[in-house]
Amino acid sequence: MTGTAPLSAVAEAALAAHRRRLRRRAMIVAALALAGIAAFVVDLGTGPSTLTALDVVRGLLFPDTLGRAAAVIVFDVRLPQAVMAILVGTALALAGAEMQTVLNNPMASPFTLGLSAAATFGAALAIVLGFALPGVPATWSIPVNAFVFAFGSAMLLQSLGRLRRSGDSLVLFGIALFFTFNALVAITQFVASEQALQQLVFWTMGSLSRATREKVTILALVIACVVPFSFRAAWTLTALRLGTERAQSLGIDIARLRMLSLMRLSLLTGAAVAYVGVIAFVGLVGPHIARLLIGEDHRFFLPASALCGAVLMSLASVASKAAVPGIVLPIGLITSLVGVPIFITLVLTRRGH
């Protein structure tokens, strides 16, 4: 009996510490959600017109207080773009978080490993050549092509991961895919008509300017369908971070887990790229920020990554409208300028280890 009391005290202390960690992580996720709401409101209140954030929020709550011109600006321009920024950031960061886990590489993201470029090439084929898979309606050809090419690129990465288990080899192969698909997009631009070329420029630079309610609804439905399956796999993804052998000893089918995860991240990437074009580094930076705040517990890491991506995209949207007065810069340029130094820092940090 004398040995049970200290053991029970140790167990209770460990359990109390575990509960504190869970509460801390839950509070961080809640704080990120509040930051996302704040960034969304600021994004709504930023733009070439004289409407402030307070005017926009008041107009959303009481539409009758807005004039006709102000209502068009709020409901047809700013609101779809602000919501699209939140959704795209969520999709890309969640895809990046899963990608880094299943490929066991902190440098992995839909942009750095070529998935975004592949999706852009698929969309370019639909725009310039009218290419669509058999049975796919013309109105769905762009997002379907984007998904199919993104998934094909992910499968190539998965195949390489089986042949060469080196993380550096995987990154190099992803960079090769990135440049290959960018070259194919450039060739497609060269043969494109003037009207199609304008659309392709939109893809390559990344922009929220063509966000509409219909596109926002479709992307929201895609995310709503994918997110529950991602969160459901949180335990197995956490176990995978402990190592492949440890995960297999727990009865996890690694091949099936990776296949399903690649399908999810390809769908998220393809849908996001299909409507806004290439957005750089959000899928890389968002998960890294979440990992610094949360750790590897995917029950909290996945929602934190999604929220970090949403906050980053909203802030990038604000910067794209505020950087040059009277001009809205493509948001893809903003995320690239911010993401490049962070990417270099990650590379130098890895080399230091």
Side-chain angles (χ1 to χ4, degrees):
M1 296 297 292
T2 57
T4 60
L7 182 61
S8 177
V10 171
E12 290 181 0
L15 182 60
H18 176 67
R19 288 173 176 171
R20 286 195 297 270
R21 285 195 297 270
L22 292 181
R23 285 195 297 268
R24 174 182 171 275
R25 291 168 179 169
M27 291 176 62
I28 291 174
V29 172
L32 288 173
L34 293 176
I37 295 173
F40 174 75
V41 173
V42 174
D43 190 14
L44 283 175
T46 307
S49 69
T50 58
L51 290 174
T52 65
L54 184 60
D55 295 331
V56 173
V57 172
R58 186 185 299 113
L60 292 175
L61 297 177
F62 308 101
D64 295 337
T65 61
L66 291 175
R68 179 174 299 180
V72 171
I73 292 174
V74 171
F75 291 103
D76 294 337
V77 179
R78 288 194 184 182
L79 184 60
Q81 292 181 10
V83 176
M84 182 65 81
I86 291 287
L87 294 177
V88 170
T90 297
L92 293 179
L94 183 59
E98 286 208 51
M99 197 174 198
Q100 291 173 11
T101 297
V102 298
L103 297 181
N104 192 29
N105 194 304
M107 309 303 294
S109 77
F111 177 78
T112 56
L113 296 192
L115 267 70
S116 294
T120 301
F121 178 62
L125 290 179
I127 294 172
V128 176
L129 304 178
F131 173 79
L133 296 176
V136 177
T139 54
W140 286 89
S141 60
I142 294 177
V144 171
N145 280 8
F147 165 70
V148 170
F149 277 81
F151 182 67
S153 179
M155 293 307 300
L156 285 175
L157 289 174
Q158 171 71 354
S159 299
L160 180 74
R162 293 179 178 178
L163 296 175
R164 298 286 299 275
R165 297 184 179 276
S166 170
D168 292 335
S169 298
L170 195 62
V171 171
L172 292 175
F173 185 71
I175 293 173
L177 283 180
F178 173 80
F179 283 109
T180 299
F181 283 112
N182 275 350
L184 293 174
V185 171
I187 293 173
T188 309
Q189 289 177 330
F190 185 77
V191 302
S193 64
E194 183 177 353
Q195 182 179 1
L197 183 60
Q198 291 179 350
Q199 290 181 289
L200 282 181
V201 170
F202 158 74
W203 292 112
T204 56
M205 299 180 73
S207 175
L208 298 171
S209 61
R210 298 191 182 183
T212 62
R213 296 180 184 180
E214 180 183 5
K215 295 176 181 178
V216 167
T217 301
I218 293 173
L219 183 55
L221 289 175
V222 170
I223 294 175
C225 292
V226 172
V227 165
F229 292 99
S230 294
F231 289 179
R232 185 179 180 182
W235 181 85
T236 54
L237 290 172
T238 302
L240 185 60
R241 292 297 296 167
L242 301 175
T244 302
E245 295 181 358
R246 179 71 63 85
Q248 289 176 338
S249 68
L250 296 174
I252 298 174
D253 188 342
I254 303 298
R256 182 175 182 273
L257 173 62
R258 284 177 174 164
M259 175 66 70
L260 293 176
S261 183
L262 288 172
M263 289 184 65
R264 291 193 296 268
L265 65 90
S266 299
L267 185 58
L268 291 171
T269 302
V273 171
Y275 293 126
V276 300
V278 178
I279 302 296
F281 294 109
V282 171
L284 175 67
V285 175
H288 276 282
I289 295 175
R291 187 175 286 109
L292 290 174
L293 296 173
I294 296 292
E296 296 291 352
D297 188 344
H298 281 59
R299 294 175 299 173
F300 299 95
F301 171 62
L302 292 179
S305 296
L307 290 170
C308 285
V311 172
L312 288 173
M313 276 295 292
S314 288
L315 294 179
S317 178
V318 173
S320 70
K321 291 181 285 187
V324 181
I327 299 177
V328 179
L329 297 176
I331 193 171
L333 301 181
I334 301 298
T335 58
S336 295
L337 289 174
V338 174
V340 166
I342 298 177
F343 180 78
I344 294 175
T345 302
L346 293 173
V347 173
L348 293 177
T349 303
R350 290 196 71 211
R351 288 184 181 275
H353 290 296

